Amino acid sequence: MDIYSSSFHQAHNKVSLLRRQPSSPVNSVSVIGFSLPRITSPSLAKYRRKGSSTGFVRACVAVEEKKRTAIIRIGTRGSPLALAQAYETRAKLQAKHPELTEDGAIHIEIIKTTGDKILSQPLADIGGKGLFTKEIDEALINGHIDIAVHSMKDVPTYLPEKTILPCNLVREDVRDAFICLTAASLAELPAGSVVGTASLRRKSQILHKYPSLAVEENFRGNVQTRLSKLQGGKVHATLLALAGLKRLSMTENVASVLSLDEMLPAVAQGAIGIACRTEDDKMASYLASLNHEETRLAVACERAFLETLDGSCRTPIAGYAAKDEEGNCFFRGLVASPDGTRVLETSRKGPYVFEDMVKMGKDAGQELLSLAGPGFFGN
């Protein structure tokens, strides 16, 4: 065998042997190659006698796995509706910012809140404000997440230190939906029928207009849970926010939609709010690109009303601000006794401007506080 054939034969055997070895680790790549020696090389025989591997190059190149660090970490509750709102936020961010469309650029972090953990008691009994936001706010402040996505009606009228809420997405339908297997409306329910709701706002307005009905007020759980309880016969009917049903694509369960005259919505119902840290200019810039100013101003008006009344889970309060046909803000506010025997309402109209709208909300709240008098809410 000539030198050329011998060298080629050994090279082929070497490559075959290397290929039969166990595969390389996940995060490394083996690079194998060889060059044929020149036939006239004077030193070839010497190297071959020593069993040298000259003529073969074997290198192991470590390929370090690049673990993408998310550009934005979104904090949210784990309910189907909360996740739908987080996904909506992600989609809107990606539509505005191409760099966020890459895999892993946005991470959604699920955080369990106090309101999610305690389901056996009415909301009014387990304590006040921030039941669905406290733990998410803490994760934001501690830097575990970059932005927090909330249903605005769950957000207390105060914000934790070191956080801001500069963004509201476009508001969904604010009305409540009537869900029932046997009747098309509250008015059609027979006397003694039980309506399930965890909301004192809904309870008081139902009992005020339909005193012959009964209300099960510890009717808690996510949308799917409450629909399951209804189908299981635990109550005859329930009310749910139409906005949530739309976001979950579950409007087929709606028997009818209540008018604003029949059921004034909760403050900020149908609105999504997104918070970030006070000093985080990068996140604030991202959120500014999503903000819907008309919604933000309406929510500010309603929350000024709620703050003036010092509303809590024990307080039946409703409020709604919207732009009318003339471009002005029209606000309606309501407070009620928990049993629905007394309902007080007021309204305001003025320029659709932040300062004016906040003033309207506060003024309406002061009026109803004065009319209600001490002890109205049973506290």
Side-chain angles (χ1 to χ4, degrees):
M1 182 183 297
D2 60 25
I3 294 177
Y4 180 92
S5 299
S6 175
S7 298
F8 183 85
H9 180 70
Q10 288 192 14
H12 180 270
N13 289 342
K14 184 69 172 179
V15 172
S16 298
L17 177 62
L18 289 172
R19 284 175 178 166
R20 285 195 296 270
Q21 290 177 343
S23 59
S24 303
V26 174
N27 291 334
S28 67
V29 175
S30 294
V31 180
I32 303 170
F34 61 89
S35 58
L36 295 176
R38 295 183 182 181
I39 297 175
T40 57
S41 172
S43 57
L44 179 60
K46 179 177 70 173
Y47 285 129
R48 282 181 49 76
R49 282 194 299 270
K50 293 182 179 180
S52 170
S53 61
T54 299
F56 305 95
V57 178
R58 184 183 183 196
C60 203
V61 180
V63 178
E64 195 174 307
E65 183 181 352
K66 293 183 179 179
K67 293 183 179 178
R68 173 176 292 282
T69 301
I71 298 173
I72 299 180
R73 296 164 297 170
I74 298 176
T76 183
R77 296 167 59 200
S79 72
L81 177 56
L83 287 171
Q85 294 178 164
Y87 294 144
E88 180 179 345
T89 301
R90 181 178 67 181
K92 289 181 181 296
L93 283 166
Q94 291 175 332
K96 291 276 187 179
H97 304 281
E99 73 273 19
L100 300 179
T101 61
E102 296 183 20
D103 288 344
I106 299 179
H107 172 71
I108 294 176
E109 183 76 23
I110 296 174
I111 300 168
K112 200 160 190 178
T113 68
T114 302
D116 298 311
K117 295 172 186 175
I118 305 174
L119 297 174
S120 59
Q121 299 171 258
L123 291 173
D125 292 345
I126 60 176
K129 303 175 181 179
L131 290 170
F132 296 108
T133 60
K134 180 176 179 289
E135 287 80 2
I136 299 175
D137 289 334
E138 289 173 351
L140 180 62
I141 293 167
N142 294 333
H144 298 311
I145 58 174
D146 300 304
I147 63 175
V149 178
H150 298 300
S151 292
M152 278 305 300
K153 69 177 182 178
D154 293 335
V155 178
T157 52
Y158 60 87
L159 295 176
E161 290 185 14
K162 301 180 182 179
T163 71
I164 54 173
L165 207 161
C167 173
N168 289 122
L169 302 186
V170 177
R171 196 174 199 174
E172 249 296 356
D173 198 314
V174 302
R175 295 173 295 172
D176 282 314
F178 176 73
I179 316 289
C180 183
L181 304 177
T182 59
S185 67
L186 283 166
E188 292 184 16
L189 286 174
S193 296
V194 179
V195 181
T197 179
S199 164
L200 287 181
R201 170 190 64 86
R202 290 178 178 135
K203 175 188 174 182
S204 61
Q205 292 186 74
I206 290 169
L207 294 179
H208 181 69
K209 293 180 174 68
Y210 307 100
S212 66
L213 300 178
V215 173
E216 165 55 58
E217 62 182 273
N218 192 28
F219 197 71
R220 295 191 54 207
N222 60 38
V223 170
Q224 289 81 355
T225 299
R226 281 183 268 183
L227 290 176
S228 177
K229 289 180 179 180
L230 172 65
Q231 291 166 353
K234 293 189 176 181
V235 295
H236 298 103
T238 189
L239 301 183
L240 296 171
L242 183 58
L245 294 171
K246 284 188 171 184
R247 289 186 174 120
L248 290 169
S249 300
M250 295 177 66
T251 53
E252 72 276 5
N253 297 284
V254 176
S256 61
V257 177
L258 281 66
S259 70
L260 297 181
D261 291 329
E262 190 172 10
M263 182 66 62
L264 200 62
V267 163
Q269 184 157 304
I272 295 173
I274 312 176
C276 65
R277 287 181 293 278
T278 305
E279 304 299 329
D280 196 337
D281 294 338
K282 182 178 181 180
M283 293 302 131
S285 176
Y286 277 129
L287 297 186
S289 70
L290 302 190
N291 181 57
H292 185 250
E293 190 65 1
E294 182 176 326
T295 297
R296 189 183 76 87
L297 297 187
V299 167
C301 178
E302 296 166 23
R303 283 167 60 81
F305 172 71
L306 181 64
E307 183 180 23
T308 302
L309 291 166
D310 193 26
S312 71
C313 289
R314 291 188 176 277
T315 313
I317 297 173
Y320 177 53
K323 185 176 286 188
D324 64 16
E325 295 178 355
E326 299 170 350
N328 292 314
C329 173
F330 182 71
F331 172 78
R332 294 176 61 183
L334 173 154
V335 296
S337 60
D339 62 3
T341 55
R342 289 186 66 196
V343 172
L344 304 173
E345 298 186 64
T346 189
S347 64
R348 295 289 187 280
K349 185 175 181 178
Y352 210 95
V353 177
F354 180 82
E355 292 78 8
D356 296 87
M357 293 168 70
V358 168
K359 185 175 183 299
M360 276 191 280
K362 290 182 177 179
D363 188 57
Q366 288 291 349
E367 179 191 353
L368 293 187
L369 274 179
S370 177
L371 291 173
F376 178 79
F377 301 111
N379 293 336

